[in-house]
Amino acid sequence: MSRICKNCGQTVDDNSAFCPNCGASVQDTVPSTNVNSNDGYQQNNPYQQPMGEAGTAWGLGDDKKLVSKVAYGVLAILLGGFGIHKFYAGKTMWGIIYILLCWTGIPAILALVEGIIGLTTKDDGQGNIYA
């Protein structure tokens, strides 16, 4: 009988009481594939990804960081012309580029768009998005 973590859906060894991935306690049975059950996970998904994962707010590439949706959006709208939202999202190079070009007004326009996109992006249920 396999064990499944209630929190993240990872398969856990039979002799483990806690999930090595997230530290939550585990249950004794494999979740059913009943289509009518609504346990927050996609049915028949081998990776058991939670439904409603955070969306991406504008940033492209693999260097995405999970950030607060509201903080990112407000920083982008109010101080985005100086790239503060880029520094907050861990994109230091883009932040420096925004600072260097702030006198042109172009970063302010881009930041306004990024802030609106960030605030309208679907979050992960805890108010976080990938930026």
Side-chain angles (χ1 to χ4, degrees), residues 78-129:
L78 297 180
L79 299 171
F82 300 106
I84 303 301
H85 66 297
K86 293 295 185 180
F87 288 110
Y88 175 69
K91 297 180 180 181
T92 308
M93 183 57 71
W94 279 109
I96 293 170
I97 291 170
Y98 274 50
I99 287 175
L100 292 175
L101 297 175
C102 70
W103 62 274
T104 65
I106 294 171
I109 295 168
L110 292 175
L112 178 64
V113 172
E114 291 171 350
I116 292 170
I117 290 172
L119 290 172
T120 58
T121 300
K122 183 177 177 183
D123 62 19
D124 65 350
Q126 297 177 350
N128 299 319
I129 58 172

Side-chain angles (χ1 to χ4, degrees), residues 55-91:
T56 302
W58 192 263
L60 300 175
D62 294 331
D63 58 339
K64 297 178 188 125
K65 179 180 173 188
L66 197 62
V67 297
S68 170
K69 174 181 179 175
V70 174
Y72 181 82
V74 169
L75 285 173
I77 291 171
L78 297 180
L79 299 171
F82 300 106
I84 303 301
H85 66 297
K86 293 295 185 180
F87 288 110
Y88 175 69
K91 297 180 180 181

